[in-house]
Amino acid sequence: MTPYPTERTALFIDGANLYSAARALNVDLDFSKLLEMYRARGVLVRAHYYTAVIEGEEFSPIKPLVDWLAYNGFSVVTKPVKRFTDAQGHSRTKGNMDIEIAVDMLELAPHLDHMVLFSGDGDFRRVVQAVQARGVRVTVVSTMKSQPPMIADELRRQADAFVELHDLLPEIGRARTPGAAPNVRVFDQ
């Protein structure tokens, strides 16, 4: 039995950040089991997954995952990757989803009791503080067990609770299999 069986919860998954954390731990994540885990703990109102996508590519490695998530209970938020040239003349890409996550967190705050943010990005400290001021508990999921740690200290301290991703792996993860074909339920970006 969960301590808050009627608690209205939403998940906010920073896809690129969670991918980096899982990769640093050398694991794959099963998003179907992730949904099951949070549905068993309360009322899961929404599960958002945010990622940037490269437009115009015939095959994008993120496309099967994005499609699977969209058909299996996630609200997928995407935006195109932007290409630019840095001061040294190197071609770079940018696909930050921080604003989209922050806006959705603020918009949903009046309808939730608990938010779970899957990211270690310190830029989220202020939005976590803002939704806490609206009476919403915030749990941050990331890892300190990687080198370097994937969680910003200021975000971990601001959150009501910090959950070590490594501790969730018995429920939602499995060791990476070198050379294995990616499973669409497994995060692969």
Side-chain angles (χ1 to χ4, degrees):
M1 180 111 183
T2 62
Y4 307 105
T6 60
E7 180 175 72
R8 298 166 302 160
T9 302
L11 310 180
F12 298 87
I13 301 172
D14 179 347
N17 195 282
L18 182 59
Y19 172 75
S20 294
R23 189 170 179 191
L25 295 173
N26 199 34
V27 295
D28 288 323
L29 301 177
D30 186 325
F31 287 94
S32 179
K33 289 181 181 177
L34 179 73
L35 280 182
E36 289 172 23
M37 182 178 75
Y38 280 97
R39 285 180 177 146
R41 293 180 177 181
V43 179
L44 185 60
V45 174
R46 188 89 63 242
H48 287 289
Y49 184 93
Y50 302 83
T51 190
V53 294
I54 299 173
E55 291 186 331
E57 285 191 356
E58 188 152 326
F59 177 77
S60 168
I62 192 73
K63 179 109 172 80
L65 174 65
V66 168
D67 288 345
W68 186 91
L69 292 169
Y71 283 109
N72 288 279
F74 286 84
S75 296
V76 179
V77 180
T78 63
K79 76 175 179 185
V81 169
K82 293 183 181 181
R83 296 181 190 276
F84 66 97
T85 304
D86 67 15
Q88 291 77 33
H90 298 104
S91 180
R92 303 277 185 210
T93 59
K94 182 178 179 181
N96 192 319
M97 299 294 291
D98 292 5
I99 296 297
E100 289 80 1
I101 295 169
V103 168
D104 287 349
M105 289 176 75
L106 289 167
E107 285 183 343
L108 277 175
H111 310 287
L112 299 171
D113 303 306
H114 185 206
M115 292 183 180
V116 182
L117 174 63
F118 286 80
S119 182
D121 188 337
D123 290 343
F124 290 118
R125 189 206 61 78
R126 182 63 183 101
V127 73
V128 167
Q129 184 182 41
V131 298
Q132 287 170 325
R134 289 162 174 79
V136 180
R137 285 186 323 107
V138 180
T139 297
V140 172
V141 180
S142 189
T143 187
M144 293 179 63
K145 298 201 183 267
S146 60
Q147 287 302 323
M150 298 296 294
I151 179 74
D153 191 55
E154 63 270 21
L155 178 62
R156 184 176 54 83
R157 290 175 187 270
Q158 183 66 51
D160 294 295
F162 168 71
V163 174
E164 171 61 53
L165 179 61
H166 186 268
D167 296 343
L168 294 179
L169 297 181
E171 291 181 78
I172 65 167
R174 65 178 171 78
R176 284 189 171 220
T177 309
N183 178 338
V184 294
R185 286 189 297 172
V186 173
F187 189 98
D188 193 70
Q189 185 176 31

